[in-house]
């Protein structure tokens, strides 16, 4: 087993560029989601959407450790991963608007994204599928003697599905280069983990029992995630056997849709609980680290944010103006 | 009689059945939420907190767990918020539940499990949240497959399911949940295999399932104004199928359209067309006509969704064609969906 | 031309395709045993030990693993020693594989996976080791469902599957594995959606699938001696379906029997009956006739199995009925199964 | 957690009756299977059959710890469990002959047995189903406040199926009184464990990661199995939460059918390997223990065996003479 990767020291000046690049990505993902959620309320995006606000650090940290030629899969809450792997806000927005220029040409909607050009192969709405498909891509890399890695992003609920264990067992057996990334946000829709999985039996513990290497990272700290992901990737490239990365994080908005739960009177979790996690916001954390390290000043970071927001708004507007698919092409691409 | 919404009818049937039989329990993801499967399980959850409980995401094993619970005298009702998740349960449904009684020669008792599956449609729910696999399931002996199209049927068929001795699957169309209709307050189970004559007529028979029943009614109303009399038959259960009701209607009208909420190939529309070609052939005056989903996965984008789903105007034009008249643009009769996202 | 057994034809197609394309790999439980899926994978296993390998019992995930491997340019072939195990794969097949190309707007590439499923019959294999879910699967757009009935088709259709761009499922009837027939030595893929006219005739059309093709041939031979001329159409693929071949035959004969290896309700026999009632109605001289499994799970005991499966004599009598003649005991034409257990 | 159950001391005279009862059961199961396998070769039992010769101690030891009101499920290799739970050789034989008097009236065959009167609910041929159904029966007992236990017998291959983990997770979550009995015979048909499951990751270890209590027992030693099963049952009746009992054992005959592998030229395992396990025969072991304890003498045990064999032969002959089902009743019991 390769030695544990050193935590990234934010104070070391050679890391400043990394800090800023990560922050930029965090801002891009965060503000894309916020802008899309805002726009979603106008009922012009007709596709059930699971926003990832609050969970950005996992996607950004992991994807920063991957090469473009590595591939990623995701589940229903996939925007973060699509964007962090290199997908464009414009094509994502167009997909949500149901436009022909959408990344899936308006056929897939929010839960079925793709962009092969940046290695984001597919997201899928059925629990477990992303994990199976990523395992299969890793099998392809093993058979084809390719040095690539396949990654699957998914939530804590997948650990209830049989496919989860079938994949772990197979990947461990066949020594496949697959990185499983579990965003453990404590909930599946409105059900807390405690009523879904055995008490005290943590997900990583179950995974480790297959002989799969597990790493836990603080999911709201992008540097911690990057450190863990680099460790995982190094291990995957040398040992070629699966790694499971579990990141504790939290979803801010409702399960599906653009609102806060309290706005709709839902009580399955308290406003305090949400607020507590908002205090641990990955963007705030990253910003604070940069300021503390002196890697940039407030004004630079503010400008970074406004610039990004402007680009995002332009992307969304451009997508909105794009044409609908032609109903004559309803039967395109069945085979 | 009182008017209830479809979801209220389901809710009432559930509560009444649970009051009458304490072996019934209800589970599935989100059944005990305040939103209770679009309002259909919340009353039961409030009234029977111990017998209505959440379930992890484990569709495969749970179908077998339901069988094992039923074999010991419990009556599990499992709810799929989308029917598409049911594919994960097919092994236990098709290799165990539906064969249980037969395969053990009747000696292992009954496994009365009830599966409710909600069928999505529209608002971009897309290819994996909008399917209705009633035909694939009905293919297998030993299952009962019901498709309530009206509040009264939603109640009556569910009551039958919850008092029957064998596995029953109900496909409930999401678009029907707010439909209203008269519903008996009493517990009146509706027997399986008994079609409903939704509307009598003598020119054309439309056999329609689920949401297509109301589309057929809209079409029939429009056509009545043009002097065409449409009979609408809702089979209510796909298996067992009330062949007699369908055949009798066709014997009267001589013309058949079948309108279904899934695809055509090896689907229910083909089943009815084939049945009539076999058993009422000499009464047929014209080719039968199958109306089903466009033969592709469900797309998300609005104009594609529009083209994908058949509707009242599709049916009305099919009737015009079948009765030798010119088709025309009748989109004005199609309901504009008021459904708002996110779900 | 050379005569090969069905299993040898499959074997040859596999080896040839693997020689031509090194991205093909073969897996599934027992594919690399000396017995190699009844002799159909052993040659490939010997020749390509790295590309033919065993698989744990994990039918659910493996279907998705196959998709993910295919998305990266590999061509997985997964073998189910019994088709009944495939129910565990339905989610990944129906919610992912068959929708992949469409659902991502063509932008996520192709997933050319090949699934071979062996259909059991007789010798008490019973309710869970004898099913052929071709109709339920064919219901879903995006899949190709093939049912080779003869050695040449077993080779040609498998070659098409292993060179096609999308998911293909082949149902191979266990009882056919030792059937012999002429098979081209060259690699000649047989296109999907192209029926085979097994025998020309002018009185009655029999559309038959898989094992029912040879039963139909036996029946036709018997009937020829009585002056009845039967045309036999083997659709070879259920989806896509060669509608034209079926309709053309019925236009000629005016009479249709459909003989399938699964049940009737929402099955393939209903599909063809419905198709003809819709598109060749005016050519029909008599009711169509569907012949399928008895409508119960497959029993084990010999006399029940006898009653459960339709056979050549069933078909011959159906033809007699359809042509207005008296039926009679024709069990002498039925093949006595030489198959010996245990499997 | 209740204290570990003391091993049964074969030398203590109060245990002699137990020893003899277990031996009698072992003989009944062993010789029923041997006789059925012999008869099977005559091609009159038309139903694919997985004989359990060599693995009897698991079924006998576990069932001896259960009450009649407890229920059991089994997989494809189910004769041992059917018989040990109290099913009759006669009705089993009749089922294999396809007779109307078979336990499943000739509808189910070897892999679909039932006898509710003794609590053997069902065996089923699809991997994982027995486990799911047993878990469901345990749920029924929990909901109905019944003090019964549900048991599932299955092989090592089920640990590759997703249903296995879904059941474990659910049973642990809901604290269900279910006893999972894994007969780990090292093979699935001709595939050894090593090519199916990750190296070094043992089945019980994976199970324990769900917080399910696990116990391992020497599967060819009926006293060891009984001791472990009693411990499991005591725990189940007091704690009411699942127990997983893993028993190492070995199948003597081919996977499906009545022959030894070497008789058919199969080489996936060596004759020595089989012979080694035959030396550890559960019946020989039990006999030796009885003789050593002085619980009975050789002649008594020999007579016990011949008596049992005679009864079995008579049962099989009786079954053979029974009537076939009436084809008119093909459609009975669909609902
Ligand atoms: C097989 C299957 N079962 C149920 C669902 C319905 N469903 C959609 S999202 C979800 C919860 C997922 O929770 P988790 O995996 O923790 O991801 P999160 O939403 O928290 O990001 C469920 C149950 C589904 N999509 N697929
Ligand atoms: C879902 C499923 N997949 C595959 C099979 C085919 N099959 C029958 S028995 C068997 C091996 C089972 O091995 P194990 O569970 O260890 O039991 P053993 O036969 O060794 O007693 C397999 C793969 C099946 N019955 N069900
Ligand atoms: Mg979650
Ligand atoms: Mg085994």
């Amino acid at each position: 087993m390769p030695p544990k990767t050193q935590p990234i020291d934010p104070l070391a000046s050679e890391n400043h560029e990394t800090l800023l690049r990560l922050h930029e990505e965090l801002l891009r993902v965060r503000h894309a989601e916020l802008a899309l959620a805002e726009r979603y309320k106008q009922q012009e995006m007709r596709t059930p959407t699971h926003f990832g606000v609050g969970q950005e650090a996992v996607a950004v940290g992991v994807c920063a450790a991957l090469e473009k030629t590595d591939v990623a899969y995701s589940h229903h809450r996939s925007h973060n991963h699509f964007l962090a792997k290199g997908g464009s806000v414009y094509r994502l927005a167009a997909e949500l608007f149901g436009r022909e220029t959408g990344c899936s040409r308006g056929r897939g909607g929010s839960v079925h994204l793709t962009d092969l050009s940046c290695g984001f192969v597919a997201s899928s709405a059925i629990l477990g599928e992303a994990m199976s498909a990523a395992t299969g891509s890793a099998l392809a890399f093993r058979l084809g003697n390719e040095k690539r890695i396949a990654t699957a992003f998914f939530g804590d609920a997948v650990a209830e599905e049989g496919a989860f264990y079938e994949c772990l067992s197979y990947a461990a057996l066949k020594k496949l280069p697959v990185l499983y990334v579990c965003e453990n946000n404590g909930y599946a829709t409105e059900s807390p983990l405690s009523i879904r999985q055995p008490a005290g039996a943590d997900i990583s513990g179950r995974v480790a029992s297959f002989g799969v290497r597990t790493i836990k990272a603080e999911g709201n700290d992008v540097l911690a995630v990057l450190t863990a992901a680099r460790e995982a990737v190094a291990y995957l490239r040398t040992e070629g056997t699966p790694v499971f990365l579990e990141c504790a994080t939290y979803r801010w908005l409702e399960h599906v849709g653009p609102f806060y739960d309290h706005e709709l009177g839902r009580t399955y979790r308290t406003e305090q609980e949400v607020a507590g996690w908002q205090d641990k916001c990955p963007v705030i954390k990253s910003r604070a680290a940069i300021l503390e390290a002196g890697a940039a000043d407030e004004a630079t970071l503010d400008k970074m944010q406004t610039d990004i927001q402007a680009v995002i708004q332009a992307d969304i507007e451009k997508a909105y103006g794009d044409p609908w698919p032609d109903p004559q092409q309803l039967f395109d691409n069945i085979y | 009689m009182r008017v209830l919404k479809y979801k209220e009818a389901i809710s009432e049937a559930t509560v009444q059945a649970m009051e009458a039989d304490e072996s019934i329990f209800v589970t599935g993801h989100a059944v005990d939420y305040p939103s209770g499967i679009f309002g259909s399980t919340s009353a039961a959850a409030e009234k029977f907190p111990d017998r209505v409980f959440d379930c992890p995401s484990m569709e495969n094993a749970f179908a077998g767990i339901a069988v094992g619970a039923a074999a010991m005298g419990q009556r599990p009702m499992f709810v799929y918020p989308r029917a598409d998740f049911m594919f994960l349960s097919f092994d236990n449904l098709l290799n165990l539940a539906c064969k249980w009684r037969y395969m053990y020669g009747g000696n292992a008792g009954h496994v009365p499990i009830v599966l409710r599956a909600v069928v999505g449609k529209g608002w971009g729910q897309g290819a994996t949240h909008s399917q209705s696999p009633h035909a694939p399931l009905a293919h297998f002996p030993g299952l009962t497959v019901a498709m309530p199209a009206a509040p009264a049927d939603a109640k009556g068929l569910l009551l039958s399911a919850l008092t029957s001795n064998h596995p029953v699957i109900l496909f409930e169309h999401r678009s029907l949940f707010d439909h209203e209709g008269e519903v008996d307050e009493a517990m009146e189970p509706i027997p399986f295999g008994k079609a409903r004559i939704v509307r009598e007529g003598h020119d054309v028979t439309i056999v329609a399932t689920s949401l297509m029943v109301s589309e057929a009614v809209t079409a029939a109303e429009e056509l009545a104004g043009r002097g065409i009399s449409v009979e609408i038959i809702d089979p209510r259960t796909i298996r067992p199928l009330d062949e007699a009701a369908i055949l009798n209607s066709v014997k009267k009208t001589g013309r058949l359209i079948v309108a279904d909420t899934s695809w055509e190939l090896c689907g229910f529309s083909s089943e009815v067309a084939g049945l009539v070609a076999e058993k009422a052939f000499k009464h047929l005056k014209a080719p039968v006509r199958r109306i089903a989903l466009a033969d592709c996965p469900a797309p998300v984008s609005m104009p594609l969704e529009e083209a994908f789903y058949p509707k009242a105007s599709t049916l009305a034009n099919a009737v015009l064609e079948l009765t030798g008249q010119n088709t025309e643009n009748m989109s004005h009769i199609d309901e504009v969906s008021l459904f708002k996202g996110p779900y």
Side-chain angles (χ1 to χ4, degrees), chain A, chain B:
Chain A
M1 196 180 293
K4 226 176 131 59
T5 306
Q6 284 300 316
I8 296 164
D9 176 6
L11 300 179
S13 60
E14 70 268 24
N15 289 330
H16 288 182
E17 204 196 308
T18 302
L19 263 54
L20 290 170
R21 215 180 52 230
L22 290 170
H23 193 67
E24 201 172 343
E25 269 302 280
L26 281 178
L27 288 174
R28 195 172 73 95
V29 175
R30 164 67 56 87
H31 290 285
E33 282 291 77
L34 287 179
L36 290 169
E38 217 29 58
R39 189 62 184 252
Y40 193 90
K41 293 175 184 165
Q42 292 170 33
Q43 301 275 342
E44 288 166 331
M45 295 168 171
R46 295 161 55 103
T47 167
T49 299
H50 311 77
F51 291 100
V53 182
Q55 307 191 175
E56 302 85 354
V58 182
V60 170
V62 169
C63 290
L66 296 174
E67 301 295 326
K68 200 170 176 175
T69 48
D70 295 328
V71 298
Y73 291 84
S74 174
H75 62 154
H76 54 283
R77 195 175 308 288
S78 63
H79 298 190
N80 291 358
H81 316 121
F82 173 85
L83 295 172
K85 190 70 178 67
S88 86
V89 175
Y90 161 62
R91 300 204 66 200
L92 171 59
E95 188 62 29
L96 299 187
F97 283 126
R99 300 301 195 263
E100 179 67 20
T101 49
C103 63
S104 300
R105 295 183 61 209
R107 271 69 175 177
S110 165
V111 292
H112 297 118
L113 307 178
T114 186
D115 187 347
L116 289 186
S117 70
C118 62
F120 186 87
V121 186
S123 63
S124 113
I126 304 291
L127 297 176
E129 290 181 353
M131 205 169 159
S132 303
T135 307
S137 292
L139 175 63
F141 299 154
R142 167 73 58 245
L143 291 171
N145 257 319
E146 296 187 65
K147 275 278 159 230
R148 296 153 78 190
I149 292 170
T151 309
F153 291 95
F154 46 81
D156 42 290
V158 181
E160 293 144 35
E161 292 283 358
F164 181 82
Y165 301 96
E166 293 184 1
C167 286
L168 289 169
S169 185
Y170 192 72
L173 174 72
K174 293 284 178 185
K175 306 197 190 307
L176 302 182
V178 55
L179 173 59
Y180 299 116
V181 182
C182 178
E183 294 182 356
N184 187 343
N185 62 11
Y187 289 90
T189 64
E190 307 183 13
S191 306
L193 204 53
S194 61
I195 67 165
R196 298 181 281 118
Q197 299 183 24
D202 85 324
I203 297 176
S204 287
R206 276 174 274 159
V207 172
S209 75
F210 287 84
V212 169
R213 180 159 184 218
T214 63
I215 306 177
K216 281 194 186 184
E218 159 63 48
N220 279 16
D221 180 344
V222 71
L223 283 181
V225 173
L226 176 59
T227 304
R230 281 189 179 160
E231 187 170 332
V233 166
Y235 184 82
L236 278 155
R237 297 227 198 266
T238 52
E239 308 290 308
T241 65
V243 179
F244 187 88
L245 174 58
E246 182 178 345
C247 302
T249 184
Y250 199 78
R251 151 171 73 75
W252 290 11
L253 303 180
E254 56 180 335
H255 168 69
V256 54
F259 297 102
Y260 282 91
D261 282 309
H262 68 82
E263 293 180 300
L264 302 175
R266 292 199 197 95
T267 56
Y268 68 93
R269 51 185 195 176
T270 62
E271 277 186 70
Q272 292 98 294
E273 183 179 297
V274 180
W277 276 93
Q278 286 180 315
D279 288 345
K280 295 191 256 171
C281 168
V283 179
I284 295 179
K285 227 181 185 120
S286 158
R287 184 178 169 106
I290 289 172
L291 293 176
E292 198 197 327
D297 60 16
E298 301 251 8
T300 311
L301 296 182
D302 288 345
K303 178 159 186 313
M304 186 188 271
Q305 177 174 331
T306 33
D307 287 354
I308 285 173
Q309 283 177 301
V311 171
I312 286 169
Q313 278 309 335
D315 278 347
I316 294 177
E317 284 321 310
K318 178 167 172 229
Y320 184 67
D322 277 349
W324 294 104
D326 176 357
Q328 298 294 334
Q329 296 181 352
L330 178 63
F331 297 109
D332 278 14
N333 287 315
I334 294 173
Y335 289 122
Chain B
M1 219 186 277
R2 300 165 316 153
V3 166
L4 288 188
K5 291 188 171 162
Y6 189 88
K7 63 187 176 193
E8 293 163 345
I10 297 171
S11 174
E12 184 170 279
T14 308
V15 170
Q16 287 180 346
M18 292 183 78
E19 275 166 348
D21 180 353
E22 64 175 31
S23 70
I24 296 171
F25 69 92
V26 180
T27 189
H29 190 61
V31 292
D32 60 355
Y33 290 8
S35 51
I37 311 292
F38 318 112
S40 66
T41 57
S42 9
E46 202 161 304
K47 195 144 188 172
F48 306 103
D50 296 342
R51 284 157 62 199
V52 179
F53 46 88
D54 204 15
C55 187
S57 298
M58 44 181 288
E59 293 84 357
N60 173 359
F62 205 89
I65 290 174
V67 168
M72 294 298 108
Q74 294 284 328
R75 288 187 166 274
M77 174 158 109
F78 188 79
V79 189
Y80 300 83
R82 281 294 175 273
D84 315 64
F85 308 153
M86 199 188 261
F87 296 139
L88 285 162
S89 307
F90 268 35
D91 174 60
N92 276 303
L93 296 183
L94 300 180
N95 276 330
L96 194 63
C98 80
K99 295 175 169 52
W100 184 276
R101 184 139 179 81
Y102 190 89
M103 186 160 74
Y104 301 107
N107 289 340
H110 291 94
V111 287
I113 66 174
V114 176
L115 304 161
R116 287 182 45 207
V118 181
V119 177
K121 181 195 163 187
W123 221 79
Q125 292 185 58
T128 61
H129 275 59
S130 61
Q131 295 166 98
S132 184
H134 50 280
L137 287 164
H139 186 56
F140 295 86
L143 282 183
T144 286
V145 177
M147 300 187 77
D153 291 346
K155 178 168 180 186
L157 292 168
L158 184 54
L159 285 173
S160 272
L162 289 169
T163 49
S164 110
N165 265 332
H166 58 274
V168 180
I169 304 179
L170 300 110
F171 288 100
E172 301 164 352
H173 207 290
R174 177 72 182 91
S175 306
L176 292 173
F177 272 61
D178 285 318
H179 277 216
E180 296 187 331
E182 294 195 339
V183 179
D184 203 331
E185 210 158 338
M187 278 180 76
E188 291 289 354
I190 291 173
F192 300 133
K194 194 88 205 62
R196 176 166 69 105
I197 301 176
V198 179
R199 182 187 174 103
E200 297 204 46
H202 49 260
D203 292 326
V204 177
T205 298
I206 299 183
V207 173
T209 56
S210 190
L211 184 66
M212 294 312 287
V213 173
S214 38
E215 301 289 331
V217 169
T218 305
E221 281 164 3
E222 171 73 16
L223 294 165
R226 301 169 186 232
I228 305 175
S229 158
V230 174
E231 175 144 313
I232 301 174
I233 307 283
D234 172 4
R236 298 203 283 206
T237 52
I238 306 305
R239 178 183 281 273
L241 182 59
D242 187 349
E243 298 193 352
I246 294 169
L247 297 173
N248 285 337
S249 179
V250 171
K251 282 173 190 168
K252 182 167 67 170
T253 64
R255 292 185 187 82
L256 172 68
I257 292 172
V258 198
D260 187 32
T261 49
S262 187
W263 293 283
E264 179 182 286
L265 194 77
C266 299
F268 183 66
S269 65
S270 295
E271 173 57 37
V272 177
L275 167 72
V276 167
E278 186 171 76
K279 297 186 180 164
F281 174 69
K282 63 171 195 276
H283 302 279
L284 272 179
K285 297 179 204 152
V288 301
R289 179 70 199 281
R290 296 173 289 174
I291 292 182
L293 298 179
D295 201 29
C296 60
V300 155
S301 180
M302 199 165 55
L304 298 176
E305 255 190 359
E306 279 294 307
F308 178 73
Y309 286 107
K311 15 189 176 293
S313 59
T314 323
L315 287 173
N317 269 316
V319 171
L320 290 181
E321 270 187 340
L322 214 57
T323 53
Q325 297 171 61
N326 289 336
T327 61
E328 51 183 86
N329 183 339
M330 287 205 275
S331 54
H332 63 277
I333 68 170
D334 293 328
E335 203 185 341
V336 177
S337 171
L338 297 174
F339 182 73
K340 289 271 159 57
Y343 202 53

